[in-house]
Amino acid sequence: MSISYNSYYVTGHHCRDYFESVLLHLTRGGGKNALQTLSPLDSRRFLPLTFLEDNERSECYHWMKECYPVYEDESNTDTKFKRNRIRNEVLPLLENENINYHSIYWNFHTWETGNFLEFLSSFAEKNSDHPNQIVSNKTKHFIIPHSTWFYCSNSKRKELIDFHLNLLGFPTLYKAPFLDFIRQTEGERAFFQNKLFTIYKSKLGDIWILDNSSPLFSAPDWEQNENNLHIRWNEKHRQIPNPDGKLSFRNSLPGEKIRFHFGKKEISECLRERKIPFFMRKNIPILFYEDDPVQILFSFFDSNLKDLPQNWQNKFL
C-alpha cells in the first residue's frame, strides 16, 4: 500500500543564488529562459527566501538559520567549479556596484496566484491564530503604464488585463466588455466595473485595475484626539499637531479653490493634473484651517506624490 501526501517542500535558495544561476546558464549559452530559473513556486517546491530582500543580512534569514541547521557543501570553496568562481569572484564585483538581487529576481518572476494563495492559506491555517491575515494583505490594485498599453496590439492588451486580473484572483474579462472598453479609450476616458473589480483609463493615463475591496474606494476617517488631528486612509495614518483645534478635514465643494503662492487654483483641477481617477477624487484627504482648504494630502494616495502646497503653515499659522 502506498501513501501520498499533499505537501510542499521548501529549499533555501535566495535571490543571490538566482543571479549566480543566471550567470552560470548564460556562460553556457543559455537563452532568455535562464532569466526565469528558480521560480518562487514551481510545482510543489517553494522558495520562501526569494521574498526577502538582502537575505543573508536580514534578521529573518539569521533567525531561520538558527532554527534550521544549514549544512555547507565542502565543494563550495573549490575554485575548479565555475559556480564557485562566479559566487566568490564575480558577484562581489557586482555588489560593489550596488546590484539589487531582489529587484532583478522579481523583474523576471511571478507566480500562479491560485496555487500560491492556496499554499499561503494552508500554511497560515496550520501555523497561525489568524489564518486569513496573510491573504488579506495581498495587493488590491495594479497599474499598467500608458506607454506599455500604447505599443500593444488589442490581443496583447487583452492578455495584459487578464494577467493582472489573475494576479488579483479574478476571472478573465469577457470579449464583449473588453471590446467596449477599447472603444471607450478612443474618447477622454474608459471605465468598466462589475461586482468584483474596476478597470479605468484616462485618455493619456495609465490603466488602473482594482479590486473593489481596495481601500482606495473607502472614505477617509479622521478624529481630533487631545492636541492632534488623526487622519486615516488607504491603510495610512498621520497625526498632525492641532493644539488650537482649528484644523479639520472634509471633502471639497464644487468649484472650491486652494491658495498657492501665485494665487488660487481649483482643487478639482489639482486632482486632474495628477491623474487621480475620477471615482477616487472625492476620497483624497484635504486639510482645512478653519474653513479654508490649506493642503491636499496626495501622499495618502501615492507615497511618491508630495502634498500641496507644502508650506501652507507659513500663510495661516
Side-chain angles (χ1 to χ4, degrees):
M1 181 180 67
S2 62
I3 301 175
S4 61
Y5 295 92
N6 184 25
S7 60
Y8 290 81
Y9 65 94
V10 176
T11 68
H13 294 95
H14 47 67
C15 297
R16 193 177 193 269
D17 292 330
Y18 157 75
F19 202 79
E20 176 186 307
S21 296
V22 168
L23 293 179
L24 185 63
H25 290 314
L26 292 179
T27 59
R28 291 173 174 168
K32 62 182 181 180
N33 289 339
L35 297 171
Q36 296 176 326
T37 188
L38 290 181
S39 173
L41 185 62
D42 183 11
S43 184
R44 309 302 293 180
R45 184 190 65 182
F46 181 50
L47 277 56
L49 296 184
T50 58
F51 293 86
L52 302 179
E53 278 200 79
D54 199 17
N55 294 307
E56 294 192 6
R57 291 193 290 273
S58 72
E59 292 182 8
C60 186
Y61 180 81
H62 289 291
W63 173 82
M64 283 191 281
K65 285 189 69 173
E66 291 176 2
C67 293
Y68 301 98
V70 176
Y71 301 98
E72 194 72 27
D73 191 324
E74 293 179 358
S75 67
N76 283 349
T77 58
D78 192 339
T79 56
K80 75 178 181 182
F81 296 108
K82 182 185 292 187
R83 176 179 291 275
N84 293 337
R85 295 196 298 272
I86 291 174
R87 178 188 303 129
N88 299 321
E89 299 174 19
V90 179
L91 294 189
L93 293 176
L94 297 175
E95 288 162 7
N96 287 336
E97 301 298 328
N98 298 318
I99 189 172
N100 188 324
Y101 299 120
H102 183 267
S103 176
I104 294 173
Y105 179 87
W106 287 107
N107 282 338
F108 296 100
H109 290 86
T110 182
W111 57 84
E112 293 296 331
T113 307
N115 291 341
F116 184 71
L117 294 180
E118 177 187 350
F119 166 75
L120 289 181
S121 179
S122 173
F123 182 85
E125 287 175 3
K126 296 177 181 178
N127 296 279
S128 173
D129 294 332
H130 306 284
N132 296 322
Q133 184 175 2
I134 295 178
V135 177
S136 64
N137 289 334
K138 71 184 182 73
T139 299
K140 295 290 186 179
H141 75 266
F142 288 102
I143 298 175
I144 302 173
H146 171 73
S147 56
T148 301
W149 179 265
F150 181 79
Y151 288 107
C152 284
S153 64
N154 281 346
S155 62
K156 291 297 182 183
R157 290 171 176 175
K158 179 71 162 58
E159 290 178 13
L160 272 175
I161 289 178
D162 289 345
F163 171 75
H164 288 89
L165 287 174
N166 181 260
L167 290 180
L168 289 171
F170 296 133
T172 58
L173 191 63
Y174 287 121
K175 183 177 180 179
F178 169 74
L179 293 177
D180 182 61
F181 186 82
I182 292 296
R183 179 188 58 77
Q184 291 182 55
T185 60
E186 298 173 1
E188 290 302 312
R189 68 187 184 196
F191 181 78
F192 172 82
Q193 187 174 59
N194 60 19
K195 294 181 179 180
L196 299 175
F197 56 84
T198 299
I199 307 176
Y200 170 78
K201 187 185 188 309
S202 60
K203 189 174 184 64
L204 298 176
D206 300 332
I207 294 274
W208 283 77
I209 302 178
L210 303 101
D211 185 327
N212 286 347
S213 65
S214 168
L216 289 168
F217 285 108
S218 64
D221 177 53
W222 70 280
E223 65 177 351
Q224 174 70 25
N225 184 359
E226 296 180 349
N227 294 323
N228 298 297
L229 181 70
H230 296 264
I231 299 178
R232 298 177 181 86
W233 185 61
N234 194 25
E235 299 181 341
K236 296 181 176 70
H237 169 248
R238 186 178 304 173
Q239 176 179 290
I240 303 174
N242 189 25
D244 58 7
K246 292 185 177 181
L247 288 176
S248 63
F249 165 85
R250 67 169 169 81
N251 293 333
S252 64
L253 301 173
E256 196 160 30
K257 296 183 178 181
I258 190 167
R259 189 188 305 176
F260 293 89
H261 68 276
F262 53 78
K264 290 188 174 183
K265 192 172 187 177
E266 283 198 14
I267 292 175
S268 58
E269 182 62 23
C270 296
L271 298 174
R272 282 194 295 270
E273 286 178 349
R274 278 150 188 81
K275 297 184 174 16
I276 308 296
F278 73 94
F279 50 88
M280 294 181 197
R281 293 172 190 167
K282 68 180 187 301
N283 294 332
I284 302 296
I286 299 174
L287 195 63
F288 285 77
Y289 184 80
E290 294 184 327
D291 201 36
D292 290 309
V294 293
Q295 192 172 53
I296 306 173
L297 303 178
F298 283 116
S299 59
F300 274 83
F301 174 76
D302 183 343
S303 299
N304 295 317
L305 294 178
K306 295 181 179 179
D307 299 330
L308 290 178
Q310 297 180 59
N311 59 343
W312 66 269
Q313 294 93 337
N314 298 337
K315 301 180 179 64
F316 289 87
L317 299 183

